[in-house]
Amino acid sequence: MNSFTQAGLDDVPPLFDRLPLELFRPLAASNGRRYWIMLCRLIGEMWGDGGRSPGEEAPKPVVIRQIETLLAADDPWDEELETPITIRAHDIARFLVDSGWLSLRRRGVAEMVTVRPVIAQFHTVLCEFAQHEPEFLGSKVRSIFLNLRAAFSGDQDQYAEAAKQAKQCMAYIANTGCRVQDLMDALMKLASPGEFVRGFFEEYVEKIFIADYSELRTKDHPLQHRSQIVAMTLQLQHDAKQHEALLAWYQEKKAGGDRNRAEYLYERDTRLLMRLKDVDEQLQRLDEEIRDANQRAIAFIEYKMRAPKQLDKLLARAMQATNQLDEGHVALPAASGFRHAGPELLAKPRTATRPAVATAVEKRPPTLRELAMEQLRKRMADNRLVDRVKLANYVGRHLRDRISVTSDELGIESINDLCCYQRLLLIAAHDACPPSQRRSDPQLQMLRSVRIEFMPNGTTSNPYLEHPRFHIQRELVR
């Protein structure tokens, strides 16, 4: 292994340790599309379903004849080359062997050709990527749920698999919105209304709207098992025995004995599973993409239908064609009264509607009672408002020169005091969050230079609340 590979690239997937570097040369050439067509047909005929398995060898003359047959049946080069088919077949086979797609081996005096299993696997991945088919999102969510249940029962390897499927699940929802955008941009570039309507109903409605979007809104809705998945993830995270078992599995199977890396991988997979809490936001964005695509399509179709482009010529041509039809023909309007055109068949002229006259809004000055009630409502809202200043004044009033004070010593003399007390209780509940999230927690940032946390034991009871005892402690400034 060279120094470039060792220079801090252990986390980079070793693609070219498994695939030859020249493998992409046919696909990156100017004739890449044609070589891809020939490669897919050749592998499908020789090593596809019903044929040889990858790794099984075939005589080189058989492969050459197969390439000749494919060129004769449907030439991707469209007869642009005057070179005989036999020479072209040898050139294509040599190019595929040199690039690594085919492997040439010698058995005695005979030359044998095969496709290595790893190359066949890579070809299958490319074909699946090119032929994207709608996935069943509901089955993925059910699989995540079942994998977590298995991990909860002691099968720790299912936890990593559940996290991987959760990542794919969230990416699938986002990808559906991107596919809608890309397809609508491509349809808007079509000049013919017929092509747009055909593409809209075949590509958009059938392949995306019905196959993907409708699944998200019916029985396979991703929220089906979301609460159970989140609950089991949190339970596995906070259960000391289960947590230690998962870390031990990550350390042995994933991190090569490194405890710190095992904790990092476990936290990463836990975050992937907890992302299912945000699936509502992803679905809302997808709804907006679908509505925007529908509105754009309807507006485009209406514009093309109403645009007066060559409308007079089309009407004249239709009238001439109508005169050539026999009475009672299926193309003629029913019960026409033996007249194909006339004033009685035209739409009635539109009648102008009189604009509605708005009534004037009556204005009157408020009464003293109404003014007093409005001031009272403002006073009530202000008493219930808790901001940094009010909360700091409440804490400073009780803390004064002391280092700490418990919740038993906090007094409640007004509505605002009660609201500040409740806010302190909420901040104490948020104190258990990880250190990396403290800076982004708005509750913990309301008070600076103090730490509010629950005490190990004890309960505070007052005329309004009963809760675990907490204390407010000054943080020493270094």
Side-chain angles (χ1 to χ4, degrees):
M1 185 177 294
N2 55 32
S3 60
F4 176 77
T5 307
Q6 296 175 353
L9 297 178
D10 296 336
D11 57 339
V12 177
L15 175 64
F16 293 107
D17 291 348
R18 301 191 64 194
L19 300 177
L21 187 61
E22 297 81 8
L23 190 69
F24 298 92
R25 190 171 57 176
L27 304 182
S30 58
N31 291 320
R33 186 183 297 270
R34 292 163 175 166
Y35 277 115
W36 173 249
I37 295 174
M38 178 58 62
L39 185 64
C40 290
R41 292 174 178 173
L42 178 62
I43 294 180
E45 291 291 337
M46 298 292 299
W47 292 276
D49 297 336
R52 298 172 178 82
S53 300
E56 292 189 34
E57 299 173 347
K60 182 178 178 181
V62 175
V63 178
I64 298 296
R65 286 196 299 270
Q66 184 63 47
I67 296 177
E68 293 177 0
T69 302
L70 296 175
L71 290 174
D74 187 6
D75 191 352
W77 280 264
D78 297 329
E79 300 180 358
E80 294 180 2
L81 305 176
E82 298 180 358
T83 309
I85 288 182
T86 303
I87 299 177
R88 292 173 57 197
H90 279 82
D91 292 342
I92 291 174
R94 182 170 57 254
F95 188 41
L96 294 179
V97 169
D98 294 341
S99 60
W101 283 101
L102 300 180
S103 297
L104 183 63
R105 302 170 183 172
R106 184 175 294 277
R107 303 298 185 190
V109 297
E111 291 183 325
M112 309 296 288
V113 179
T114 187
V115 174
R116 294 166 51 203
V118 65
I119 302 297
Q121 181 184 1
F122 181 68
H123 176 263
T124 302
V125 171
L126 292 180
C127 292
E128 291 177 354
F129 175 80
Q131 297 175 347
H132 176 78
E133 296 181 356
E135 302 180 14
F136 296 96
L137 189 61
S139 61
K140 286 184 175 295
V141 178
R142 285 193 294 271
S143 179
I144 296 172
F145 175 67
L146 295 176
N147 286 333
L148 277 182
R149 285 208 311 188
F152 196 81
S153 301
D155 196 359
Q156 284 81 16
D157 60 331
Q158 300 298 321
Y159 190 84
E161 181 64 24
K164 179 181 177 181
Q165 293 179 353
K167 179 181 179 180
Q168 296 174 353
C169 176
M170 297 299 293
Y172 175 75
I173 299 176
N175 291 342
T176 303
C178 294
R179 289 177 60 199
V180 172
Q181 290 181 357
D182 296 341
L183 182 57
M184 291 306 299
D185 292 339
L187 291 178
M188 287 298 175
K189 297 178 182 178
L190 301 178
S192 171
E195 294 178 355
F196 178 86
V197 173
R198 191 179 305 109
F200 179 78
F201 283 98
E202 291 181 359
E203 298 290 333
Y204 174 72
V205 176
E206 293 183 3
K207 294 185 179 180
I208 292 182
F209 186 80
I210 294 178
D212 292 348
Y213 185 69
S214 62
E215 289 295 331
L216 300 180
R217 291 303 182 187
T218 54
K219 61 180 181 180
D220 290 330
H221 195 280
L223 297 180
Q224 185 178 7
H225 298 289
R226 184 189 66 169
S227 59
Q228 296 96 320
I229 292 173
V230 173
M232 283 193 292
T233 303
L234 292 174
Q235 192 170 358
L236 288 171
Q237 185 180 18
H238 293 93
D239 190 321
K241 184 178 180 180
Q242 296 279 6
H243 182 77
E244 184 60 31
L246 286 171
L247 284 179
W249 182 88
Y250 273 92
Q251 184 176 356
E252 178 184 357
K253 302 295 184 181
K254 293 283 188 179
D258 189 345
R259 179 71 175 188
N260 293 331
R261 180 164 177 79
E263 293 178 355
Y264 166 76
L265 294 176
Y266 170 74
E267 291 178 0
R268 181 200 63 184
D269 290 347
T270 301
R271 287 194 300 269
L272 292 176
L273 288 168
M274 294 302 294
R275 283 189 63 195
L276 291 175
K277 294 192 303 182
D278 304 329
V279 72
D280 288 326
E281 298 179 4
Q282 295 289 343
L283 287 177
Q284 186 176 0
R285 294 193 190 100
L286 181 59
D287 290 341
E288 294 175 357
E289 295 293 343
I290 295 293
R291 283 194 295 267
D292 181 65
N294 289 338
Q295 292 173 1
R296 291 174 63 186
I298 293 173
F300 183 84
I301 294 174
E302 288 182 350
Y303 170 75
K304 290 296 184 180
M305 295 297 292
R306 296 180 179 180
K309 183 179 180 181
Q310 298 180 350
L311 185 59
D312 295 338
K313 294 181 179 179
L314 295 176
L315 290 176
R317 190 181 305 171
M319 295 297 294
Q320 293 175 2
T322 302
N323 292 331
Q324 304 297 327
L325 299 177
D326 298 331
E327 194 65 44
H329 194 276
V330 68
L332 297 177
S336 61
F338 301 99
R339 297 189 64 181
H340 302 153
E344 64 275 1
L345 298 179
L346 298 178
K348 301 299 181 182
R350 296 182 179 180
T351 58
T353 57
R354 292 184 300 175
V357 179
T359 57
V361 178
E362 182 181 357
K363 297 181 180 180
R364 63 176 181 82
T367 63
L368 293 177
R369 177 181 175 80
E370 291 173 343
L371 292 174
M373 292 298 296
E374 180 64 22
Q375 292 297 326
L376 182 59
R377 281 190 291 268
K378 291 182 179 180
R379 183 73 177 273
M380 291 170 57
D382 184 68
N383 284 335
R384 284 165 172 76
L385 177 64
V386 178
D387 54 16
R388 294 173 181 266
V389 177
K390 292 181 179 180
L391 191 60
N393 291 336
Y394 179 76
V395 173
R397 197 173 75 216
H398 293 86
L399 196 59
R400 295 183 180 179
D401 297 332
R402 290 186 291 177
I403 298 179
S404 65
V405 64
T406 66
S407 55
D408 295 336
E409 303 174 63
L410 298 179
I412 301 176
E413 301 175 359
S414 63
I415 296 295
N416 189 255
D417 287 353
L418 179 59
C419 294
C420 291
Y421 189 95
Q422 290 177 322
R423 182 59 58 90
L424 293 176
L425 186 60
L426 179 61
I427 294 175
H430 281 239
D431 187 74
C433 72
S436 59
Q437 301 179 7
R438 294 186 65 87
R439 293 183 178 272
S440 60
D441 194 317
Q443 303 298 334
L444 297 177
Q445 298 302 315
M446 288 196 69
L447 287 177
R448 301 296 180 89
S449 303
V450 295
R451 183 81 178 254
I452 305 172
E453 56 186 356
F454 287 115
M455 301 180 69
N457 47 38
T459 303
T460 296
S461 298
N462 55 47
Y464 309 100
L465 298 170
E466 182 177 354
H467 56 82
R469 182 180 293 117
F470 64 88
H471 71 282
I472 305 172
Q473 186 174 5
R474 294 182 187 271
E475 292 185 342
L476 299 179
V477 180
R478 298 180 181 178

